[in-house]
């Protein structure tokens, strides 16, 4: 076998392994297209990763479900508007996220304005997020990872260095 480099001590005092693979937790790729659903996509993907880690089955969640409630919180109406982290957090903590098979709109252009069924609302309430936090420093990220907390991230993706290609790369640690 290949020898791994030694583990490192993280900024929060915990041990960060030299290497860790999330391959057994691979979930679907989220593609927001040119919509404003980046935070919702990252949150849904983090839920999918956590679900996969704890149940070893893949369950897709609906970023559109989170977006709907985040838009109502921030704007008083559903639509494709830019969302703050606070609005996405509010939606995830108050309404959760529904499985994609129960609320198919996935936060992509043209998927806004649909009303969730009572079944998807009930399912969303079984997948509430207890809290969320915006992480800004490497030390905070290392601390959260060393304590076993999932860390989601957003990173802008550009088509080329001259033109904005639309979209964000969303991901999460497990």
């Amino acid at each position: 076998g290949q020898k791994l480099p030694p583990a490192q001590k993280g900024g929060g005092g915990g041990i960060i392994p030299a290497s860790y693979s999330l391959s057994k937790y691979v979930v679907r790729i989220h593609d927001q297209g040119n919509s404003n659903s980046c935070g919702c996509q990252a949150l849904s993907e983090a839920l999918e990763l956590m679900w996969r880690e704890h149940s070893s089955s893949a369950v897709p969640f609906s970023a559109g479900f989170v977006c709907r409630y985040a838009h109502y919180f921030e704007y008083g109406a559903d639509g494709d508007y830019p969302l703050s982290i606070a609005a996405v957090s509010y939606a995830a903590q108050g309404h959760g996220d529904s499985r994609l098979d129960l609320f198919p709109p996935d936060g992509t252009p043209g998927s806004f304005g649909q009303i969730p069924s009572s079944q998807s609302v009930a399912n969303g309430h079984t997948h509430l997020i207890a809290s969320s936090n915006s992480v800004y420093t490497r030390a905070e990220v290392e601390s959260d990872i060393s304590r076993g907390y999932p860390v989601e991230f957003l990173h802008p993706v550009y088509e080329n260095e001259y033109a904005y290609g639309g979209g964000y790369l969303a991901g999460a640690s497990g």
Side-chain angles (χ1 to χ4, degrees):
Q2 182 181 8
K3 185 174 178 173
L4 296 173
Q8 302 293 315
K9 190 169 185 163
I15 299 296
I16 298 175
S19 166
Y20 184 79
S21 173
L22 295 174
S23 60
K24 63 184 175 183
Y25 309 119
V26 171
V27 296
R28 70 191 177 100
I29 294 172
H30 286 242
D31 181 1
Q32 75 183 61
N34 63 354
S35 74
N36 290 296
S37 64
C38 54
C40 303
Q41 299 290 344
L43 184 120
S44 290
E45 188 169 13
L47 273 174
E48 290 173 14
L49 284 165
M50 288 185 282
W51 185 272
R52 182 76 184 250
E53 180 179 9
H54 295 288
S55 72
S56 70
S57 65
V59 174
F61 285 93
S62 173
F65 187 88
V66 176
C67 280
R68 175 179 171 72
Y69 289 104
H71 282 120
Y72 271 100
F73 173 75
E74 192 134 38
Y75 298 101
D78 193 12
D80 188 11
Y81 314 113
L83 290 167
S84 67
I85 297 296
V88 174
S89 296
Y90 165 83
Q93 292 172 31
H95 302 280
D97 196 359
S98 181
R99 292 188 337 247
L100 188 59
D101 63 333
L102 297 176
F103 192 73
D106 202 21
T108 55
S111 69
F112 298 98
Q114 297 189 31
I115 299 172
S117 68
S118 58
Q119 186 181 16
S120 65
V121 170
N123 184 257
H125 282 275
T126 65
H127 305 291
L128 295 171
I129 300 297
S131 66
S132 63
N133 182 29
S134 294
V135 179
Y136 298 103
T137 68
R138 179 181 176 142
E140 289 174 305
V141 171
E142 289 175 350
S143 174
D144 281 354
I145 290 172
S146 68
R147 293 183 306 189
Y149 296 158
V151 177
E152 65 180 288
F153 63 89
L154 298 173
H155 178 75
V157 175
Y158 296 92
E159 199 170 88
N160 61 46
E161 64 184 72
Y162 302 108
Y164 177 69
Y168 281 80
L169 169 67
S173 74

